[in-house]
Amino acid sequence: MKTGPTEMQPTLLLPPERIHKLTGYGMRTHADGYLFRPTSVDEIRRVLDIARKSGRKVVLRGAGRSYGDGNIGAECVIIDTTRMNRVLSWDAGTGIIDCEGGVTIEGLWRTTMEDGYWPPVVSGTMYPTLAGALGMNIHGKNSFKVGTIGDQVIELDVLFTTGELRTLTPADDLFFAVISGAGLLGIITRAKLKMKRVHSGNVKVLAVSCHNWDDQFKVFNQFEHDADYLVSWIDCFGRGASAGRGQIHVAWYLNEAAELPSSLRPDNQDLPDNILGFFPKSSMWQILRYFNNRLGMRFINSAKHNASLLLGNGKEVEQSLVAFSFLLDYVPNWRKAYLPGGFIQYQSFVPREHAKEVFSQQISLQQEAKLESFLGVLKLHKPDNFLFSHATNGYSLAQDFKVTPKNWSRIEALCHKMNDVVLSAGGRFYFAKDSTLRPSDVKAYLGEEALYKFKQFRSTCDPEGLLTTDLAKRLELI
Ligand SMILES: Cc1cc2nc3c(=O)[nH]c(=O)nc-3n(C[C@H](O)[C@H](O)[C@H](O)COP(=O)(O)OP(=O)(O)OC[C@H]3O[C@@H](n4cnc5c(N)ncnc54)[C@H](O)[C@@H]3O)c2cc1C
């Protein structure tokens, strides 16, 4: 059968070689999309045109480090901006860096560290791109002190699907919507931000063991006005009087006498290839796999708690900024230990006064369901002005749930119960860590007004409604 030119066109625009099976970091769901990796603004415009002509929606994707479905879209054109990764200018005098959106957090610190500057906000991994980090408006272990990454931005360029490239600053309302907007308003192509001046490549880290939730909040209260970073590991298997047990790490920047101490050299920051000096990190996930079940994780969490009480409690050490900040990058491919079903991360943000009660209830609910989170991480935050803000004057608890072919409906039911507890306490959620929210949950925490404002912005920034994600569809954001 002969094919006419019009029938041929969609195939030419979107050849099958472009089809990639993509997933969020948790690997629970996958979606096939047509992957494009443009290297310039003009090339992005051309890809938008291809999407338009072939009747496809467009998904923006950075390094794919969001856990859920916020960076995938079935049968969509995927614009992956990781190749737009040039540092456009760096001024060691002012600490201001100007770069393309595909520069990673790693790219930032590798550029500025030897001049005595560190990214003001980093996630628990160094691999996200700046544009992806702004899309979700990430926070770090210093969230209570400096806010989110959006709070550090001086200006950014956004390409709208109309083809217009606009520079936005904090004087623009739209600035606060594009940052946090989950890639649904425009393509961030460039951002300028102020890096944090540091006088050492190391931080002083104090470990404090906690027997329960009361201890946790007492220690956070004790250090929040003085520390630069605060983060706690929670053993989600702890119950009764031990519920909320874990270990807090409090950290402070250091001052070294030398103008540019050797700790600032990037090669002195690199994570080691081996654990305990001999065991290759690259093989760790294969061992982790054998423990990655309820019994194994109960054992590991308990052993970690006991070791922290006996050996670590009250100890102060110096650690490189990289080792302290990117603990999760120590074990490459650790997520593979969750295969074949993958995992989800669930993070809720709760006002201070309700945090203990809400997190205790969440953990009781998962223990009753025999679906305990294998990892719990507690952080302190402050509120911000971004449209889809997850932050609050309170605490967040991030939890990882292993998904198997059999347990998904039970995990969903558990998360929905936990959502209700969070919402009744005036809490919030985070799209980067979401796989289970319902549209009604989003309406309840963001409010009708924010969602209306978002739709108004979308009608001018993306009038054809090209931009989408599976998350946006699931949550009826678009
Ligand atoms: C091990 C690990 C630890 C983490 N720790 C933290 C943490 O401590 N704090 C925290 O806040 N988050 C944390 N995260 C989540 C991660 O930082 C965020 O999900 C971040 O957004 C990922 O960036 P990315 O480049 O991978 O973007 P993706 O996940 O690919 O995309 C993120 C969002 O940005 C949009 N987007 C991508 N590119 C663009 C663009 N050019 N313009 C506009 N929008 C775009 C996408 O559509 C999507 O909605 C962690 C993730 C992992 C895997």
Side-chain angles (χ1 to χ4, degrees), residues 25 60-67 70-71 81 123-125 128-129 131-132 135-136 138-139 182-183 186-188 328 379 430 432-433:
Y25 198 73
L60 306 181
R61 184 171 166 99
R65 255 57 186 187
S66 296
Y67 285 85
N71 47 26
T81 47
S123 46
T125 169
T129 62
M136 291 301 187
I138 65 162
H139 60 264
I187 303 123
I188 299 169
L328 289 164
K379 287 184 209 150
Y430 184 19
K433 310 281 184 85

PDB file of all heavy atoms in Angstrom, residues 25 60-67 70-71 81 123-125 128-129 131-132 135-136 138-139 182-183 186-188 328 379 430 432-433, ligand 1:
ATOM      1  N   TYR A  25      11.941   8.597  39.368  1.00  0.00           N
ATOM      2  CA  TYR A  25      13.036   7.925  40.064  1.00  0.00           C
ATOM      3  C   TYR A  25      12.584   6.652  40.810  1.00  0.00           C
ATOM      4  O   TYR A  25      13.347   5.712  40.974  1.00  0.00           O
ATOM      5  CB  TYR A  25      13.719   8.898  41.034  1.00  0.00           C
ATOM      6  CG  TYR A  25      15.067   8.407  41.438  1.00  0.00           C
ATOM      7  CD1 TYR A  25      16.133   8.444  40.553  1.00  0.00           C
ATOM      8  CD2 TYR A  25      15.265   7.854  42.706  1.00  0.00           C
ATOM      9  CE1 TYR A  25      17.372   7.948  40.908  1.00  0.00           C
ATOM     10  CE2 TYR A  25      16.512   7.360  43.065  1.00  0.00           C
ATOM     11  CZ  TYR A  25      17.557   7.410  42.164  1.00  0.00           C
ATOM     12  OH  TYR A  25      18.775   6.917  42.507  1.00  0.00           O
ATOM     13  N   LEU A  60       8.072  18.317  30.014  1.00  0.00           N
ATOM     14  CA  LEU A  60       9.439  18.800  30.273  1.00  0.00           C
ATOM     15  C   LEU A  60      10.095  17.868  31.272  1.00  0.00           C
ATOM     16  O   LEU A  60       9.472  17.443  32.251  1.00  0.00           O
ATOM     17  CB  LEU A  60       9.395  20.220  30.833  1.00  0.00           C
ATOM     18  CG  LEU A  60       8.625  21.224  29.987  1.00  0.00           C
ATOM     19  CD1 LEU A  60       8.664  22.611  30.618  1.00  0.00           C
ATOM     20  CD2 LEU A  60       9.186  21.267  28.558  1.00  0.00           C
ATOM     21  N   ARG A  61      11.360  17.587  31.003  1.00  0.00           N
ATOM     22  CA  ARG A  61      12.068  16.637  31.865  1.00  0.00           C
ATOM     23  C   ARG A  61      13.491  17.108  32.080  1.00  0.00           C
ATOM     24  O   ARG A  61      14.160  17.550  31.137  1.00  0.00           O
ATOM     25  CB  ARG A  61      12.051  15.254  31.200  1.00  0.00           C
ATOM     26  CG  ARG A  61      12.672  14.143  32.044  1.00  0.00           C
ATOM     27  CD  ARG A  61      12.403  12.801  31.375  1.00  0.00           C
ATOM     28  NE  ARG A  61      13.239  11.750  31.933  1.00  0.00           N
ATOM     29  CZ  ARG A  61      12.841  10.872  32.844  1.00  0.00           C
ATOM     30  NH1 ARG A  61      11.623  10.899  33.325  1.00  0.00           N
ATOM     31  NH2 ARG A  61      13.664   9.945  33.293  1.00  0.00           N
ATOM     32  N   GLY A  62      13.938  17.026  33.333  1.00  0.00           N
ATOM     33  CA  GLY A  62      15.334  17.327  33.635  1.00  0.00           C
ATOM     34  C   GLY A  62      16.085  16.013  33.766  1.00  0.00           C
ATOM     35  O   GLY A  62      16.133  15.207  32.833  1.00  0.00           O
ATOM     36  N   ALA A  63      16.639  15.770  34.963  1.00  0.00           N
ATOM     37  CA  ALA A  63      17.418  14.551  35.168  1.00  0.00           C
ATOM     38  C   ALA A  63      16.539  13.370  35.590  1.00  0.00           C
ATOM     39  O   ALA A  63      17.065  12.303  35.923  1.00  0.00           O
ATOM     40  CB  ALA A  63      18.496  14.808  36.212  1.00  0.00           C
ATOM     41  N   GLY A  64      15.234  13.572  35.633  1.00  0.00           N
ATOM     42  CA  GLY A  64      14.315  12.472  35.972  1.00  0.00           C
ATOM     43  C   GLY A  64      14.403  12.054  37.426  1.00  0.00           C
ATOM     44  O   GLY A  64      14.085  10.918  37.765  1.00  0.00           O
ATOM     45  N   ARG A  65      14.776  12.985  38.305  1.00  0.00           N
ATOM     46  CA  ARG A  65      14.968  12.639  39.725  1.00  0.00           C
ATOM     47  C   ARG A  65      13.722  12.833  40.580  1.00  0.00           C
ATOM     48  O   ARG A  65      13.760  12.542  41.779  1.00  0.00           O
ATOM     49  CB  ARG A  65      16.135  13.449  40.312  1.00  0.00           C
ATOM     50  CG  ARG A  65      17.425  12.668  40.525  1.00  0.00           C
ATOM     51  CD  ARG A  65      17.934  12.028  39.300  1.00  0.00           C
ATOM     52  NE  ARG A  65      19.086  11.169  39.579  1.00  0.00           N
ATOM     53  CZ  ARG A  65      19.810  10.584  38.650  1.00  0.00           C
ATOM     54  NH1 ARG A  65      19.508  10.752  37.386  1.00  0.00           N
ATOM     55  NH2 ARG A  65      20.829   9.808  38.965  1.00  0.00           N
ATOM     56  N   SER A  66      12.644  13.365  40.008  1.00  0.00           N
ATOM     57  CA  SER A  66      11.402  13.396  40.782  1.00  0.00           C
ATOM     58  C   SER A  66      10.909  11.964  40.872  1.00  0.00           C
ATOM     59  O   SER A  66      10.975  11.222  39.901  1.00  0.00           O
ATOM     60  CB  SER A  66      10.357  14.275  40.100  1.00  0.00           C
ATOM     61  OG  SER A  66      10.820  15.594  40.071  1.00  0.00           O
ATOM     62  N   TYR A  67      10.395  11.607  42.036  1.00  0.00           N
ATOM     63  CA  TYR A  67      10.134  10.191  42.282  1.00  0.00           C
ATOM     64  C   TYR A  67       8.934   9.628  41.516  1.00  0.00           C
ATOM     65  O   TYR A  67       8.926   8.466  41.142  1.00  0.00           O
ATOM     66  CB  TYR A  67       9.885   9.976  43.777  1.00  0.00           C
ATOM     67  CG  TYR A  67      11.135  10.028  44.615  1.00  0.00           C
ATOM     68  CD1 TYR A  67      11.644  11.227  45.081  1.00  0.00           C
ATOM     69  CD2 TYR A  67      11.804   8.858  44.952  1.00  0.00           C
ATOM     70  CE1 TYR A  67      12.786  11.267  45.867  1.00  0.00           C
ATOM     71  CE2 TYR A  67      12.944   8.886  45.736  1.00  0.00           C
ATOM     72  CZ  TYR A  67      13.431  10.100  46.188  1.00  0.00           C
ATOM     73  OH  TYR A  67      14.558  10.129  46.950  1.00  0.00           O
ATOM     74  N   GLY A  70       5.791  13.087  37.663  1.00  0.00           N
ATOM     75  CA  GLY A  70       5.856  14.510  37.299  1.00  0.00           C
ATOM     76  C   GLY A  70       6.798  14.800  36.148  1.00  0.00           C
ATOM     77  O   GLY A  70       6.868  15.942  35.678  1.00  0.00           O
ATOM     78  N   ASN A  71       7.525  13.794  35.660  1.00  0.00           N
ATOM     79  CA  ASN A  71       8.460  14.042  34.551  1.00  0.00           C
ATOM     80  C   ASN A  71       8.232  13.062  33.393  1.00  0.00           C
ATOM     81  O   ASN A  71       9.115  12.879  32.563  1.00  0.00           O
ATOM     82  CB  ASN A  71       9.910  13.968  35.060  1.00  0.00           C
ATOM     83  CG  ASN A  71      10.138  12.744  35.932  1.00  0.00           C
ATOM     84  OD1 ASN A  71       9.437  11.744  35.780  1.00  0.00           O
ATOM     85  ND2 ASN A  71      11.100  12.813  36.823  1.00  0.00           N
ATOM     86  N   THR A  81      15.987  18.692  28.981  1.00  0.00           N
ATOM     87  CA  THR A  81      16.879  19.852  28.828  1.00  0.00           C
ATOM     88  C   THR A  81      18.267  19.628  29.442  1.00  0.00           C
ATOM     89  O   THR A  81      18.995  20.577  29.695  1.00  0.00           O
ATOM     90  CB  THR A  81      16.226  21.132  29.408  1.00  0.00           C
ATOM     91  OG1 THR A  81      15.699  20.840  30.692  1.00  0.00           O
ATOM     92  CG2 THR A  81      15.119  21.655  28.520  1.00  0.00           C
ATOM     93  N   SER A 123      19.487  19.365  47.113  1.00  0.00           N
ATOM     94  CA  SER A 123      18.671  18.203  47.508  1.00  0.00           C
ATOM     95  C   SER A 123      19.613  17.107  48.000  1.00  0.00           C
ATOM     96  O   SER A 123      20.837  17.262  47.961  1.00  0.00           O
ATOM     97  CB  SER A 123      17.851  17.717  46.315  1.00  0.00           C
ATOM     98  OG  SER A 123      18.655  17.638  45.162  1.00  0.00           O
ATOM     99  N   GLY A 124      19.027  15.978  48.409  1.00  0.00           N
ATOM    100  CA  GLY A 124      19.815  14.866  48.924  1.00  0.00           C
ATOM    101  C   GLY A 124      20.611  14.140  47.850  1.00  0.00           C
ATOM    102  O   GLY A 124      21.301  13.163  48.134  1.00  0.00           O
ATOM    103  N   THR A 125      20.488  14.568  46.619  1.00  0.00           N
ATOM    104  CA  THR A 125      21.292  14.048  45.514  1.00  0.00           C
ATOM    105  C   THR A 125      21.788  15.236  44.696  1.00  0.00           C
ATOM    106  O   THR A 125      21.108  16.246  44.604  1.00  0.00           O
ATOM    107  CB  THR A 125      20.479  13.092  44.614  1.00  0.00           C
ATOM    108  OG1 THR A 125      21.231  12.826  43.428  1.00  0.00           O
ATOM    109  CG2 THR A 125      19.137  13.669  44.198  1.00  0.00           C
ATOM    110  N   PRO A 128      20.049  16.372  40.159  1.00  0.00           N
ATOM    111  CA  PRO A 128      18.979  17.145  39.502  1.00  0.00           C
ATOM    112  C   PRO A 128      19.521  18.344  38.729  1.00  0.00           C
ATOM    113  O   PRO A 128      20.565  18.911  39.079  1.00  0.00           O
ATOM    114  CB  PRO A 128      18.118  17.633  40.669  1.00  0.00           C
ATOM    115  CG  PRO A 128      18.337  16.637  41.746  1.00  0.00           C
ATOM    116  CD  PRO A 128      19.792  16.240  41.605  1.00  0.00           C
ATOM    117  N   THR A 129      18.777  18.727  37.681  1.00  0.00           N
ATOM    118  CA  THR A 129      19.142  19.934  36.942  1.00  0.00           C
ATOM    119  C   THR A 129      18.550  21.140  37.680  1.00  0.00           C
ATOM    120  O   THR A 129      17.586  21.000  38.452  1.00  0.00           O
ATOM    121  CB  THR A 129      18.538  19.904  35.526  1.00  0.00           C
ATOM    122  OG1 THR A 129      17.101  19.871  35.644  1.00  0.00           O
ATOM    123  CG2 THR A 129      19.006  18.694  34.733  1.00  0.00           C
ATOM    124  N   ALA A 131      16.869  23.566  36.281  1.00  0.00           N
ATOM    125  CA  ALA A 131      15.497  23.808  35.800  1.00  0.00           C
ATOM    126  C   ALA A 131      14.515  22.829  36.457  1.00  0.00           C
ATOM    127  O   ALA A 131      13.418  23.228  36.867  1.00  0.00           O
ATOM    128  CB  ALA A 131      15.439  23.672  34.282  1.00  0.00           C
ATOM    129  N   GLY A 132      14.916  21.570  36.575  1.00  0.00           N
ATOM    130  CA  GLY A 132      14.048  20.583  37.232  1.00  0.00           C
ATOM    131  C   GLY A 132      13.871  20.916  38.703  1.00  0.00           C
ATOM    132  O   GLY A 132      12.778  20.788  39.267  1.00  0.00           O
ATOM    133  N   GLY A 135      11.509  23.684  38.802  1.00  0.00           N
ATOM    134  CA  GLY A 135      10.168  23.205  38.451  1.00  0.00           C
ATOM    135  C   GLY A 135       9.431  22.708  39.690  1.00  0.00           C
ATOM    136  O   GLY A 135       8.226  22.909  39.843  1.00  0.00           O
ATOM    137  N   MET A 136      10.150  22.048  40.572  1.00  0.00           N
ATOM    138  CA  MET A 136       9.519  21.532  41.804  1.00  0.00           C
ATOM    139  C   MET A 136       9.806  22.435  43.005  1.00  0.00           C
ATOM    140  O   MET A 136       9.240  22.259  44.062  1.00  0.00           O
ATOM    141  CB  MET A 136      10.039  20.115  42.092  1.00  0.00           C
ATOM    142  CG  MET A 136       9.565  19.075  41.092  1.00  0.00           C
ATOM    143  SD  MET A 136       7.757  18.995  41.077  1.00  0.00           S
ATOM    144  CE  MET A 136       7.485  17.588  40.014  1.00  0.00           C
ATOM    145  N   ILE A 138      12.817  22.844  44.926  1.00  0.00           N
ATOM    146  CA  ILE A 138      13.371  21.923  45.937  1.00  0.00           C
ATOM    147  C   ILE A 138      13.835  22.651  47.213  1.00  0.00           C
ATOM    148  O   ILE A 138      14.106  23.846  47.201  1.00  0.00           O
ATOM    149  CB  ILE A 138      14.546  21.100  45.375  1.00  0.00           C
ATOM    150  CG1 ILE A 138      15.744  22.003  45.027  1.00  0.00           C
ATOM    151  CG2 ILE A 138      14.118  20.267  44.182  1.00  0.00           C
ATOM    152  CD1 ILE A 138      17.044  21.244  44.880  1.00  0.00           C
ATOM    153  N   HIS A 139      13.929  21.877  48.263  1.00  0.00           N
ATOM    154  CA  HIS A 139      14.428  22.365  49.559  1.00  0.00           C
ATOM    155  C   HIS A 139      15.590  21.478  49.990  1.00  0.00           C
ATOM    156  O   HIS A 139      15.729  20.354  49.492  1.00  0.00           O
ATOM    157  CB  HIS A 139      13.320  22.290  50.617  1.00  0.00           C
ATOM    158  CG  HIS A 139      12.840  20.889  50.793  1.00  0.00           C
ATOM    159  ND1 HIS A 139      11.717  20.399  50.140  1.00  0.00           N
ATOM    160  CD2 HIS A 139      13.340  19.836  51.493  1.00  0.00           C
ATOM    161  CE1 HIS A 139      11.553  19.128  50.441  1.00  0.00           C
ATOM    162  NE2 HIS A 139      12.539  18.749  51.261  1.00  0.00           N
ATOM    163  N   ALA A 182       5.847  22.917  38.279  1.00  0.00           N
ATOM    164  CA  ALA A 182       5.898  21.518  37.813  1.00  0.00           C
ATOM    165  C   ALA A 182       5.962  21.395  36.290  1.00  0.00           C
ATOM    166  O   ALA A 182       5.388  20.471  35.698  1.00  0.00           O
ATOM    167  CB  ALA A 182       4.716  20.728  38.375  1.00  0.00           C
ATOM    168  N   GLY A 183       6.647  22.348  35.668  1.00  0.00           N
ATOM    169  CA  GLY A 183       6.869  22.249  34.218  1.00  0.00           C
ATOM    170  C   GLY A 183       5.617  22.450  33.390  1.00  0.00           C
ATOM    171  O   GLY A 183       5.562  22.019  32.245  1.00  0.00           O
ATOM    172  N   GLY A 186       5.981  26.910  31.393  1.00  0.00           N
ATOM    173  CA  GLY A 186       6.960  27.280  30.376  1.00  0.00           C
ATOM    174  C   GLY A 186       8.274  26.567  30.639  1.00  0.00           C
ATOM    175  O   GLY A 186       8.447  25.917  31.685  1.00  0.00           O
ATOM    176  N   ILE A 187       9.181  26.730  29.693  1.00  0.00           N
ATOM    177  CA  ILE A 187      10.448  26.002  29.764  1.00  0.00           C
ATOM    178  C   ILE A 187      11.515  26.932  30.340  1.00  0.00           C
ATOM    179  O   ILE A 187      11.840  27.963  29.719  1.00  0.00           O
ATOM    180  CB  ILE A 187      10.862  25.508  28.361  1.00  0.00           C
ATOM    181  CG1 ILE A 187       9.735  24.626  27.798  1.00  0.00           C
ATOM    182  CG2 ILE A 187      12.176  24.719  28.395  1.00  0.00           C
ATOM    183  CD1 ILE A 187       9.198  25.098  26.500  1.00  0.00           C
ATOM    184  N   ILE A 188      12.037  26.590  31.482  1.00  0.00           N
ATOM    185  CA  ILE A 188      13.099  27.393  32.100  1.00  0.00           C
ATOM    186  C   ILE A 188      14.381  27.086  31.330  1.00  0.00           C
ATOM    187  O   ILE A 188      14.820  25.929  31.279  1.00  0.00           O
ATOM    188  CB  ILE A 188      13.264  27.051  33.594  1.00  0.00           C
ATOM    189  CG1 ILE A 188      11.956  27.353  34.345  1.00  0.00           C
ATOM    190  CG2 ILE A 188      14.438  27.820  34.214  1.00  0.00           C
ATOM    191  CD1 ILE A 188      11.907  26.815  35.760  1.00  0.00           C
ATOM    192  N   LEU A 328      22.729  10.091  49.823  1.00  0.00           N
ATOM    193  CA  LEU A 328      22.071   9.090  48.981  1.00  0.00           C
ATOM    194  C   LEU A 328      22.860   8.778  47.709  1.00  0.00           C
ATOM    195  O   LEU A 328      22.611   7.779  47.045  1.00  0.00           O
ATOM    196  CB  LEU A 328      20.655   9.550  48.636  1.00  0.00           C
ATOM    197  CG  LEU A 328      19.692   9.498  49.826  1.00  0.00           C
ATOM    198  CD1 LEU A 328      18.437  10.312  49.557  1.00  0.00           C
ATOM    199  CD2 LEU A 328      19.311   8.064  50.172  1.00  0.00           C
ATOM    200  N   LYS A 379      12.521  16.842  58.432  1.00  0.00           N
ATOM    201  CA  LYS A 379      13.186  18.142  58.202  1.00  0.00           C
ATOM    202  C   LYS A 379      12.289  19.257  58.715  1.00  0.00           C
ATOM    203  O   LYS A 379      11.078  19.064  58.863  1.00  0.00           O
ATOM    204  CB  LYS A 379      13.447  18.369  56.715  1.00  0.00           C
ATOM    205  CG  LYS A 379      14.555  17.525  56.115  1.00  0.00           C
ATOM    206  CD  LYS A 379      14.778  17.917  54.657  1.00  0.00           C
ATOM    207  CE  LYS A 379      15.284  16.746  53.847  1.00  0.00           C
ATOM    208  NZ  LYS A 379      14.867  16.800  52.461  1.00  0.00           N
ATOM    209  N   TYR A 430       3.981  17.560  48.241  1.00  0.00           N
ATOM    210  CA  TYR A 430       5.064  17.983  47.354  1.00  0.00           C
ATOM    211  C   TYR A 430       5.019  17.136  46.093  1.00  0.00           C
ATOM    212  O   TYR A 430       5.182  15.909  46.151  1.00  0.00           O
ATOM    213  CB  TYR A 430       6.373  17.750  48.126  1.00  0.00           C
ATOM    214  CG  TYR A 430       7.647  18.188  47.482  1.00  0.00           C
ATOM    215  CD1 TYR A 430       7.669  19.112  46.450  1.00  0.00           C
ATOM    216  CD2 TYR A 430       8.867  17.686  47.937  1.00  0.00           C
ATOM    217  CE1 TYR A 430       8.859  19.514  45.881  1.00  0.00           C
ATOM    218  CE2 TYR A 430      10.066  18.085  47.393  1.00  0.00           C
ATOM    219  CZ  TYR A 430      10.054  18.997  46.353  1.00  0.00           C
ATOM    220  OH  TYR A 430      11.239  19.393  45.799  1.00  0.00           O
ATOM    221  N   ALA A 432       7.091  16.629  43.743  1.00  0.00           N
ATOM    222  CA  ALA A 432       8.303  15.861  43.415  1.00  0.00           C
ATOM    223  C   ALA A 432       8.297  14.493  44.088  1.00  0.00           C
ATOM    224  O   ALA A 432       9.003  13.580  43.670  1.00  0.00           O
ATOM    225  CB  ALA A 432       9.538  16.640  43.840  1.00  0.00           C
ATOM    226  N   LYS A 433       7.520  14.385  45.152  1.00  0.00           N
ATOM    227  CA  LYS A 433       7.538  13.158  45.949  1.00  0.00           C
ATOM    228  C   LYS A 433       6.170  12.482  45.938  1.00  0.00           C
ATOM    229  O   LYS A 433       5.847  11.761  46.869  1.00  0.00           O
ATOM    230  CB  LYS A 433       7.909  13.492  47.399  1.00  0.00           C
ATOM    231  CG  LYS A 433       9.141  14.358  47.587  1.00  0.00           C
ATOM    232  CD  LYS A 433      10.411  13.577  47.451  1.00  0.00           C
ATOM    233  CE  LYS A 433      11.648  14.398  47.738  1.00  0.00           C
ATOM    234  NZ  LYS A 433      12.021  14.488  49.130  1.00  0.00           N
TER     235      LYS A 433
HETATM  236  C1  LIG B   1      17.950  10.529  45.999  1.00  0.00           C
HETATM  237  C2  LIG B   1      17.079  11.749  45.903  1.00  0.00           C
HETATM  238  C3  LIG B   1      17.104  12.694  46.916  1.00  0.00           C
HETATM  239  C4  LIG B   1      16.303  13.838  46.826  1.00  0.00           C
HETATM  240  N1  LIG B   1      16.352  14.754  47.834  1.00  0.00           N
HETATM  241  C5  LIG B   1      15.553  15.854  47.776  1.00  0.00           C
HETATM  242  C6  LIG B   1      15.594  16.840  48.789  1.00  0.00           C
HETATM  243  O1  LIG B   1      16.361  16.741  49.752  1.00  0.00           O
HETATM  244  N2  LIG B   1      14.801  17.922  48.658  1.00  0.00           N
HETATM  245  C7  LIG B   1      13.961  18.088  47.584  1.00  0.00           C
HETATM  246  O2  LIG B   1      13.263  19.105  47.531  1.00  0.00           O
HETATM  247  N3  LIG B   1      13.911  17.175  46.596  1.00  0.00           N
HETATM  248  C8  LIG B   1      14.685  16.074  46.671  1.00  0.00           C
HETATM  249  N4  LIG B   1      14.652  15.149  45.667  1.00  0.00           N
HETATM  250  C9  LIG B   1      13.776  15.396  44.512  1.00  0.00           C
HETATM  251  C10 LIG B   1      14.479  16.149  43.386  1.00  0.00           C
HETATM  252  O3  LIG B   1      15.395  17.065  43.869  1.00  0.00           O
HETATM  253  C11 LIG B   1      13.419  16.928  42.600  1.00  0.00           C
HETATM  254  O4  LIG B   1      12.440  16.035  42.162  1.00  0.00           O
HETATM  255  C12 LIG B   1      13.948  17.694  41.406  1.00  0.00           C
HETATM  256  O5  LIG B   1      12.877  18.427  40.873  1.00  0.00           O
HETATM  257  C13 LIG B   1      14.541  16.781  40.348  1.00  0.00           C
HETATM  258  O6  LIG B   1      15.109  17.549  39.296  1.00  0.00           O
HETATM  259  P1  LIG B   1      15.302  16.899  37.848  1.00  0.00           P
HETATM  260  O7  LIG B   1      16.274  17.736  37.092  1.00  0.00           O
HETATM  261  O8  LIG B   1      15.595  15.475  37.969  1.00  0.00           O
HETATM  262  O9  LIG B   1      13.867  17.162  37.215  1.00  0.00           O
HETATM  263  P2  LIG B   1      12.697  16.152  36.768  1.00  0.00           P
HETATM  264  O10 LIG B   1      12.376  15.240  37.881  1.00  0.00           O
HETATM  265  O11 LIG B   1      13.062  15.560  35.470  1.00  0.00           O
HETATM  266  O12 LIG B   1      11.553  17.223  36.595  1.00  0.00           O
HETATM  267  C14 LIG B   1      11.048  17.912  37.713  1.00  0.00           C
HETATM  268  C15 LIG B   1       9.946  18.881  37.309  1.00  0.00           C
HETATM  269  O13 LIG B   1      10.497  19.985  36.634  1.00  0.00           O
HETATM  270  C16 LIG B   1       9.917  20.122  35.356  1.00  0.00           C
HETATM  271  N5  LIG B   1      10.985  20.565  34.450  1.00  0.00           N
HETATM  272  C17 LIG B   1      12.061  19.871  34.032  1.00  0.00           C
HETATM  273  N6  LIG B   1      12.811  20.621  33.220  1.00  0.00           N
HETATM  274  C18 LIG B   1      12.200  21.826  33.137  1.00  0.00           C
HETATM  275  C19 LIG B   1      12.471  23.035  32.454  1.00  0.00           C
HETATM  276  N7  LIG B   1      13.543  23.170  31.670  1.00  0.00           N
HETATM  277  N8  LIG B   1      11.625  24.084  32.633  1.00  0.00           N
HETATM  278  C20 LIG B   1      10.531  23.986  33.430  1.00  0.00           C
HETATM  279  N9  LIG B   1      10.221  22.861  34.080  1.00  0.00           N
HETATM  280  C21 LIG B   1      11.032  21.798  33.936  1.00  0.00           C
HETATM  281  C22 LIG B   1       9.375  18.753  35.003  1.00  0.00           C
HETATM  282  O14 LIG B   1       8.284  18.833  34.090  1.00  0.00           O
HETATM  283  C23 LIG B   1       8.926  18.263  36.368  1.00  0.00           C
HETATM  284  O15 LIG B   1       7.653  18.741  36.675  1.00  0.00           O
HETATM  285  C24 LIG B   1      15.454  14.016  45.706  1.00  0.00           C
HETATM  286  C25 LIG B   1      15.433  13.071  44.680  1.00  0.00           C
HETATM  287  C26 LIG B   1      16.238  11.940  44.773  1.00  0.00           C
HETATM  288  C27 LIG B   1      16.192  10.932  43.667  1.00  0.00           C
END
